Amino acid sequence: MKTPKEFFRQDDVVTVAKGLLGKYLFTQLNGRVTAGMIVETEAYSPKERGSHAFGYRRTKRNEQMYSEGGRSYVYLCYGIHHMFNVVTNVTDVPDAVLIRALEPVEGRSTMMRRLKARTESRLTSGPGKLAKAMGIDLRMNGASLQSKSVWIEEGAPVATKQILMGPRIGIDYAGEDALLPWRFVLKGNIWVSR
DNA sequence: TAGAGGATTGAT
DNA sequence: TCAATCCTCTAC
């Protein structure tokens, strides 16, 4: 079952970031389906410096963060890697959840081909790699997460004690906001990022 | 319009 | 620890 819009429109981005753990991200491109269980997420809100939309800054790049919850926000980082985010909350509130790692469940051979990987290990253990494995690029920016090319499906419920919290990665420039425990991982899962 | 830097990764 | 690599944002 596809995750309903209402889930993404909750007003607490941290709740959504935790709730996405255990759900499944799917893409279908050129008839090829790939899917993975979400095992690592990070929350971003306009109230902290880690976000592209800090202080409700609004630019061409982050425009999709202001759309209604349940869409994607994709951007290019370091000129090399695509990052896949889930937009949450209501229109004009730029909350988003970065998907940092997946456990591959479908289309592993397609993922390996896209990454030119020799083995299945560590296929989707990081935001740049999982976007490439799933075939995600800027064309998917703004897509509904109930569309035919990208969507999210429900998974088994995850108990709170199965979720490990910690500070987010790669945002040292955010000052004390970098210390917020807004990174969430499924405890013990081998597919999380390094 | 130029210059700086980044929600990363893989090799050294 | 460091370079790759290019788009975005900010300041002039």
Side-chain angles (χ1 to χ4, degrees), chain A residues 1-107:
Chain A
M1 184 189 91
K2 288 186 180 178
T3 299
K5 315 192 257 285
E6 290 71 27
F7 170 79
F8 302 107
R9 295 181 188 172
Q10 300 177 81
D11 64 5
D12 180 17
V13 66
V14 167
T15 300
V16 179
K18 290 182 192 170
L20 279 168
L21 295 176
K23 296 194 194 310
Y24 295 87
L25 174 65
F26 281 77
T27 62
Q28 179 171 24
L29 300 164
N30 302 319
R32 299 196 179 280
V33 174
T34 51
M37 183 175 73
I38 298 169
V39 300
E40 179 173 348
T41 62
E42 284 181 0
Y44 288 88
S45 103
K47 294 189 281 293
E48 44 82 21
R49 304 190 110 81
S51 174
H52 291 163
F54 171 63
Y56 286 82
R57 191 168 52 143
R58 191 163 185 159
T59 65
K60 191 172 179 183
R61 178 178 63 167
N62 70 18
E63 182 62 29
Q64 286 303 330
M65 294 180 79
Y66 287 83
S67 62
E68 61 195 350
R71 290 184 178 275
S72 69
Y73 167 46
V74 182
Y75 68 94
L76 188 63
C77 189
Y78 297 107
I80 304 170
H81 306 289
H82 292 283
M83 300 285 139
F84 177 78
N85 295 253
V86 173
V87 176
T88 75
N89 216 318
V90 296
T91 302
D92 289 334
V93 181
D95 287 347
V97 177
L98 172 68
I99 308 300
R100 285 192 59 88
L102 303 171
E103 176 176 326
V105 296
E106 191 169 337

Side-chain angles (χ1 to χ4, degrees), chain A residues 1 19 69 111 177:
Chain A
M1 184 189 91
M111 294 182 184
D177 287 333

